[in-house]
């Protein structure tokens, strides 16, 4: 299994696992919230249900965000704009979730809270795909750079450009030509980023 395939599989499984975490958080939140609410002022059953959906949504979202970030952080070209848009997407997704909840609550009270709390993290994930993917200019620069990569010694990184035999003059290691080609750093990148 290549690195890229493994990452795509991990990306596919994040949503079902986050759904499980949502359900567990929802079940557990009943005990926690009722214990806490005993000391609070009057709260209706609906207020408590709304809090439980919100709480479960936040827990699932936090899990999703950490998993998603760890999975893709190395292949995202981080800059000020990307970090700002990623944070802005959190706010927009939360607002969208609240709007969805308000609209659906008009026809089915409580159901809207559930859908809204699930909508926000899902919208954020979709937004990050657009924010994190490389722009056309970034892709052009990357392809350009990988094309210019010199053949280097896999053992010590010495530039082997112009040599007529597959032996590193720096560290003395000998290779066959296919070993040399297969172990080039640019090849590993090409496997990860296509
Ligand atoms: Zn060497």
């Amino acid at each position: 299994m290549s690195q890229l395939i493994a990452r795509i599989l991990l990306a596919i499984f994040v949503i079902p696992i986050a759904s499980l975490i949502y359900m567990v958080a929802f079940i557990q939140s009943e005990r926690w919230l009722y214990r806490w609410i005993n000391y609070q002022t009057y709260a209706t059953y609906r207020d408590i249900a709304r809090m439980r959906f919100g709480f479960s949504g936040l827990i699932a979202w936090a899990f999703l965000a950490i998993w998603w970030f760890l999975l893709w952080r190395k292949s995202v070209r981080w800059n000020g704009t990307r970090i700002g848009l990623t944070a802005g997407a959190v706010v927009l997704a939360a607002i969208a979730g609240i709007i969805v909840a308000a609209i659906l609550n008009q026809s089915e009270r409580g159901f809207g809270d559930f859908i809204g709390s699930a909508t926000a993290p899902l919208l954020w994930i979709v937004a990050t795909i657009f924010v994190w993917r490389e722009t056309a200019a970034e892709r052009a620069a990357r392809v350009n750079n990988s094309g210019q990569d010199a053949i280097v010694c896999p053992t010590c990184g010495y530039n082997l450009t112009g040599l007529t035999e597959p032996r590193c003059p720096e560290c003395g290691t000998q290779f066959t030509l296919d070993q040399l080609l297969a172990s080039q750093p640019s090849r590993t990148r090409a496997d990860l980023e296509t």
Side-chain angles (χ1 to χ4, degrees), residues 152-160 167-173 175:
V152 295
C153 169
T155 310
C156 71
Y158 186 79
N159 189 334
L160 302 180
R167 179 182 169 281
C168 175
E170 182 71 13
C171 67
T173 320
F175 314 94

Side-chain angles (χ1 to χ4, degrees), residues 111-148:
F111 182 68
D113 297 329
F114 165 61
I115 296 294
S117 68
T119 299
L122 289 177
L123 279 181
W124 179 79
I125 286 278
V126 173
T128 60
I129 296 172
F130 290 99
V131 173
W132 291 1
R133 84 177 160 183
E134 63 183 357
T135 62
E138 285 168 344
R139 183 177 193 280
R142 175 171 61 81
V143 170
N144 235 346
N145 285 339
S146 68
Q148 284 167 358

Side-chain angles (χ1 to χ4, degrees), residues 19-38:
S19 309
L20 276 177
I21 287 174
Y22 183 101
M23 286 188 269
V24 170
F26 188 76
I27 293 163
Q28 291 298 314
S29 67
E30 185 170 32
R31 246 189 315 152
W32 297 334
L33 271 178
Y34 273 107
R35 194 174 298 164
W36 180 69
I37 268 163
N38 280 341

